[in-house]
Amino acid sequence: MAALPVSVLLLLLCWVGPPAAGQKRKEMVLSEKVNQLMEWASKRSVIRMNGDKFRRFVKAPPRNYSVIVMFTALQPHRQCVVCKQADEEYQILANSWRYSSAFTNKIFFAMVDFDEGSDVFQMLNMNSAPTFINFPAKGKPKRGDTYELQVRGFAAEQLARWVADRTDVNIRVIRPPNYAGPLMLGLLLAVISGLVYLRGSNLDFLYNKTGWAFVALCFVLAMTSGQMWNHIRGPPYAHKNPHTGQMSYIHGSSQAQFVAETHIVLLFNGGVTLGMVFLHEAATSDMDVGKRKIMCIAGIGLVVVFFSWLLSVFRSKYHGYPYSFLMS
């Protein structure tokens, strides 16, 4: 009977001792990983990773921190314009977090370039770039941990909202000073002031209806083409198919658009508007009949062609739209 407590004690040592040692080892490994990541983050806001670093610091446990990883292809021979634009916004977001007073080791920003970590792309079955994925502190990434780039765009503010939703870390985006706006405003005021000074005795140009109509028309065309949406969402200029290399300038969804698509729609709307102006002038001007006929035919041609192209863009975004005109 005296041997029973000794055997029980040995069993307890076997059950309790090794797990405690294993837990201590995990804590030491985790501490080393966090310290290394903090050291890298103190030097660069976005930590560049190859395959080995990714597997050790992002995929392998233990981990009590989240890692936002941008998978990209920034080398010049890849010719990924969108990657460069997304990288600029990603750097702004990472810098905003690094220099924030709330900066902690709860979240890190990293990057895997295809030419430095192609094995990571193969491991994740990834065939497009840029792609943003959140690797949470616990468990594997879920569907919502992959950023919807085509819908949200890659503006730093949109990325910050997604990061807050996935990690509960709120990042206030701080952009570097941009003096282009104040300079353009100052230039505009200087031009207006110069015109007023030079033509101080004759300010009839301020009452020119054609000039004001042209300015108003330009503003309306810019707004109806989606310039404000681009400013808010920050979408990519276009999309390049990674398999075929084909460029897409029109987004296939009615919930998103490219910057190039905005320019195309603006051009089509402008063509239709110009055709309507020609038709109005042909009907109301005092020119001779021959010139009015030419202007009328040109106006009809502009309206027909550009409205047909505009309708084809509408059909490509709203699939199943049953009507077509001149061109499908």
Side-chain angles (χ1 to χ4, degrees):
M1 295 296 293
L4 183 60
V6 176
S7 61
V8 172
L9 182 60
L10 291 175
L11 288 174
L12 288 175
L13 289 175
C14 292
W15 291 346
V16 179
Q23 181 65 26
K24 187 175 181 180
R25 175 173 173 76
K26 286 183 179 180
E27 291 178 356
M28 291 178 61
V29 173
L30 179 60
S31 178
E32 292 176 359
K33 292 170 68 173
V34 171
N35 290 337
Q36 181 64 75
L37 288 170
M38 288 293 289
E39 180 181 350
W40 286 336
S42 65
K43 298 177 181 178
R44 302 181 65 174
S45 300
V46 177
I47 303 170
R48 298 186 70 97
M49 291 188 172
N50 54 22
D52 294 335
K53 290 181 179 179
F54 178 84
R55 282 185 285 271
R56 179 185 175 189
F57 292 95
V58 179
K59 292 289 292 182
R63 193 175 73 249
N64 63 352
Y65 50 86
S66 297
V67 185
I68 308 296
V69 183
M70 180 177 75
F71 298 91
T72 186
L74 293 175
Q75 297 302 318
H77 66 275
R78 298 295 176 186
Q79 298 181 350
C80 183
V81 178
V82 180
C83 293
K84 296 179 181 178
Q85 296 172 346
D87 178 61
E88 292 176 359
E89 295 295 314
Y90 190 59
Q91 295 287 345
I92 290 174
L93 175 65
N95 284 326
S96 299
W97 172 241
R98 176 186 175 187
Y99 297 109
S100 170
S101 59
F103 175 75
T104 62
N105 57 12
K106 186 177 180 180
I107 181 175
F108 296 95
F109 292 89
M111 172 195 302
V112 177
D113 192 279
F114 180 80
D115 291 280
E116 299 175 0
S118 58
D119 54 333
V120 178
F121 280 74
Q122 295 175 2
M123 178 175 61
L124 299 177
N125 295 322
M126 192 175 301
N127 53 17
S128 63
T131 301
F132 298 92
I133 299 179
N134 168 51
F135 292 87
K138 296 181 180 179
K140 298 181 180 179
K142 301 178 181 178
R143 182 176 181 181
D145 288 312
T146 300
Y147 182 72
E148 297 176 337
L149 181 66
Q150 301 297 336
V151 176
R152 298 188 178 188
F154 48 70
E157 290 78 9
Q158 293 294 330
L159 288 169
R161 295 189 186 98
W162 171 70
V163 170
D165 178 61
R166 306 311 303 175
T167 65
D168 293 327
V169 174
N170 294 294
I171 303 175
R172 179 172 173 249
V173 175
I174 302 176
R175 293 183 174 274
N178 185 359
Y179 301 104
L183 286 175
M184 291 300 296
L185 179 61
L187 180 61
L188 178 62
L189 292 176
V191 171
I192 294 175
S193 301
L195 289 173
V196 172
Y197 176 76
L198 294 174
R199 304 187 60 177
S201 59
N202 183 10
L203 299 179
D204 292 340
F205 70 95
L206 293 176
Y207 303 97
N208 190 310
K209 294 182 179 179
T210 303
W212 287 111
F214 179 76
V215 173
L217 181 61
C218 291
F219 179 79
V220 170
L221 289 176
M223 292 298 104
T224 54
S225 64
Q227 290 290 352
M228 187 57 67
W229 195 93
N230 291 342
H231 179 74
I232 295 173
R233 294 295 187 90
Y237 185 82
H239 175 68
K240 184 177 182 180
N241 191 310
H243 301 291
T244 63
Q246 183 179 3
M247 294 295 295
S248 298
Y249 300 100
I250 305 295
H251 200 286
S253 171
S254 61
Q255 303 298 318
Q257 69 180 26
F258 299 131
V259 175
E261 179 181 335
T262 301
H263 298 161
I264 293 171
V265 172
L266 188 149
L267 175 64
F268 291 171
N269 284 334
V272 173
T273 304
L274 183 61
M276 297 300 295
V277 171
F278 281 174
L279 289 173
H280 177 269
E281 290 296 318
T284 60
S285 67
D286 298 330
M287 294 185 296
D288 59 84
V289 177
K291 291 183 179 180
R292 291 170 66 181
K293 286 183 178 179
I294 295 175
M295 189 171 288
C296 181
I297 294 174
I300 292 174
L302 286 171
V303 171
V304 170
V305 172
F306 282 100
F307 182 76
S308 177
W309 281 339
L310 193 63
L311 194 61
S312 66
V313 172
F314 184 83
R315 282 167 53 86
S316 68
K317 297 183 71 65
Y318 292 85
H319 305 286
Y321 190 75
Y323 308 109
S324 63
F325 180 66
L326 192 64
M327 286 170 256
S328 59

